[in-house]
Amino acid sequence: MEQELELQNSEIKETKRKRKEIKMEKEEKTIYDLPGVGAATAEKLIAVGYTDLMSIAVASPSELIEATGMGDALAKKMIAVARSSLEMGFESGEELLKRREKVIRLKTGSKAFDSLLGGGLETGAIIECFGEFGSGKTQLGHALAVNCQSVEKDAVAVYIDTENTFRPERIIQLAKGAGLDEEQVLKNIKVARAYNSDHQMLLAEKVEDLIKKQGLNVKLVVVDSLTAHFRAEFIGRGTLADRQQKLNKHMHILMKLADMHNLCVYVTNQVMAKPDMFFGDPTQAIGGHIVAHASTFRVYLRKGKKGTRVAKLVDSPSQPEGEIGFYLDESGIKDVE
Ligand code: GTP
Ligand code: MG
């Protein structure tokens, strides 16, 4: 209880700090420059994550109305002004190709797994891994946090841990397995425990600070688990729509991070039983369309025969769907011999 209060207090402080920061960035246009935004409205917007013009520009009127209680006309006007004051133009195919050339591929440790994803997990993208307990989602998160450090000098992994399953001891094992300096590897993983969904969202926003203020070369952001808090918190209170709206916002923050900083976002997701399904696998990822649409790659993990694991690519912009086997051992994720 005390902890929760403390947490709430720190969140209030955080909102205040953010508000100050936004005011200070005056040379750029901010949400305070939008028509009809007084202090109270701005506060409401900031509190639910609309901290910059881009977030307003890509919002729908109904989202803003729900967040602030403003009228429909004003919401539409705000969005229109935010859009026109931002460069939301088109990119040529050539420019896009240039951006694609900067894509780095993070390795899982298994060649088969990497090639399933077209050579590894891409930066600039969100990769969602879903599967039952013990299928290897957390282990893959650990392996990526280690392996991403060999792609670029000073590469840093951020690990947002919602289930208290991050284990530095495991990182040491994996670093040894990858032939990397354990101490250095541990130093370059920034771990934060998220106590609830709001805290989790705040931590995702904080990644920007690590990059901009601390100058860290963040190449990977792990959110393990993406959906557990949301699932637990929105059972009794609120509606599914509320949960989906928050989850949507969270995914947008992650998407923006991936896109703007050429980093890879790896999120894990549980599955739930789908009792009305008679054929195929009767499980379904939590979070529904919101998570599925925001993820660039989706991988379904399950336990295979003789202690192996099976990874199935179910959604990808460029790779054919496929399935491979791998196994987990002391040194990490390995190919099946
Ligand atoms: P939930 O978070 O419960 O949904 O599961 P998960 O998909 O995150 O599973 P996780 O990645 O934690 O996988 C757990 C499995 O990985 C265990 O059952 C072990 O088989 C294997 N594992 C975990 N740690 C080690 C290790 O240090 N060495 C080896 N060889 N296997 C390990
Ligand atoms: Mg796990």
Side-chain angles (χ1 to χ4, degrees), residues 220-240:
L220 172 73
V221 176
V222 175
V223 186
D224 182 24
S225 137
L226 174 75
T227 45
H229 280 318
F230 288 91
R231 191 186 189 188
E233 289 166 26
F234 284 87
I235 275 178
R237 74 172 158 104
T239 61
L240 195 64

Side-chain angles (χ1 to χ4, degrees), residues 138 163 165 224:
T138 297
E163 303 192 297
T165 49
D224 182 24

Side-chain angles (χ1 to χ4, degrees), residues 132-139 159 163 165 224-225 268 270:
E132 58 175 348
F133 65 92
S135 56
K137 305 180 294 291
T138 297
Q139 288 301 311
Y159 205 109
E163 303 192 297
T165 49
D224 182 24
S225 137
T268 70
Q270 274 89 353

Side-chain angles (χ1 to χ4, degrees), residues 153-199:
K153 200 175 168 287
D154 301 326
V156 164
V158 172
Y159 205 109
I160 300 176
D161 181 12
T162 75
E163 303 192 297
N164 201 15
T165 49
F166 179 83
R167 291 290 175 275
E169 301 86 339
R170 183 66 179 133
I171 295 294
I172 291 175
Q173 276 185 342
L174 295 171
K176 276 184 188 157
L180 296 170
D181 179 61
E182 304 129 52
E183 226 171 280
Q184 198 57 39
V185 167
L186 273 178
K187 216 179 267 177
N188 284 336
I189 302 178
K190 308 294 174 196
V191 187
R193 174 88 198 276
Y195 293 98
N196 55 46
S197 64
D198 288 309
H199 191 201

Side-chain angles (χ1 to χ4, degrees), residues 216-284:
L216 297 181
N217 181 22
V218 178
K219 279 286 147 264
L220 172 73
V221 176
V222 175
V223 186
D224 182 24
S225 137
L226 174 75
T227 45
H229 280 318
F230 288 91
R231 191 186 189 188
E233 289 166 26
F234 284 87
I235 275 178
R237 74 172 158 104
T239 61
L240 195 64
D242 288 335
R243 183 186 88 177
Q244 291 306 82
Q245 201 194 348
K246 269 185 91 175
L247 202 47
N248 190 27
K249 194 152 294 157
H250 189 38
M251 292 307 285
H252 269 101
I253 290 168
L254 294 171
M255 224 193 273
K256 211 168 125 188
L257 272 177
D259 208 35
M260 300 207 347
H261 303 289
N262 193 33
L263 57 80
C264 173
V265 174
Y266 169 77
V267 303
T268 70
N269 196 356
Q270 274 89 353
V271 289
M272 58 183 171
K274 212 162 56 175
D276 56 344
M277 175 116 173
F278 294 107
F279 302 101
D281 201 319
T283 51
Q284 184 180 332

